[in-house]
Amino acid sequence: MFEKKVKQPPIRSLIAHGSEILGNLKFTEGLRIDGSICGDVVAIMERPSILVVSETASVVGDIHADHVIVNGRVTGSIHARTLIEVQPKARIDGDVYYSGLEMHLGAVIHGRLVAHLADEEKPTLKLAANNV
């Protein structure tokens, strides 16, 4: 009846607005990107992970994390092991691999949506509606 809330890992790192990283980036637990990254962004799988790509952020490269929240621009594939949230200002040019997907009105994905399925399991899909 009641779904158990999974505790999110803390966001301990920030790529600030105006910052630019050229090269691949590995992180643990939580990362928020407000700047630009040209390279792959990969969560180390030792612990649960969350990645936030904010409205001001740009990533050119592949993304691998447990929970991914996108509200900026991503050019590359996204591999969300548990959940991806595609927020209203998100622009994704690449394939999205997910177990759970939440997509808001206004978000744009140019690529394939591919569900990670474990033995006949149905993917979780949720269309987030604006409460007007």
Side-chain angles (χ1 to χ4, degrees), residues 9 20 31 33 41 64 80 85 88 96 105:
E20 184 177 323
L31 170 65
I33 302 171
V41 180
H64 295 263
E85 296 178 43
V96 176
L105 185 64

Side-chain angles (χ1 to χ4, degrees), residues 52-119:
V52 178
V53 179
S54 78
E55 180 180 336
T56 61
S58 171
V59 175
V60 177
D62 293 344
I63 292 174
H64 295 263
D66 292 326
H67 184 172
V68 180
I69 301 169
V70 180
N71 202 24
R73 177 171 284 283
V74 175
T75 303
S77 64
I78 299 175
H79 300 262
R81 288 184 282 274
T82 57
L83 176 65
I84 181 166
E85 296 178 43
V86 188
Q87 296 185 338
K89 296 187 179 181
R91 301 293 175 262
I92 300 172
D93 292 308
D95 296 339
V96 176
Y97 300 85
Y98 65 93
S99 291
L101 170 68
E102 180 176 318
M103 188 165 177
H104 292 253
L105 185 64
V108 176
I109 299 175
H110 294 284
R112 297 180 303 143
L113 296 174
V114 182
H116 291 293
L117 300 177
D119 298 332

Side-chain angles (χ1 to χ4, degrees), residues 27-29 43-49 66 81:
F27 71 97
T28 58
E29 295 185 299
I44 297 171
M45 293 179 50
E46 297 170 355
R47 298 181 182 169
S49 59
D66 292 326
R81 288 184 282 274

Side-chain angles (χ1 to χ4, degrees), residues 1-22:
M1 181 174 180
F2 294 101
E3 289 184 31
K4 183 178 177 184
K5 283 266 189 182
V6 177
K7 185 178 178 188
Q8 292 292 337
I11 294 179
R12 299 188 188 276
S13 300
L14 168 69
I15 308 299
H17 180 68
S19 298
E20 184 177 323
I21 294 179
L22 301 175

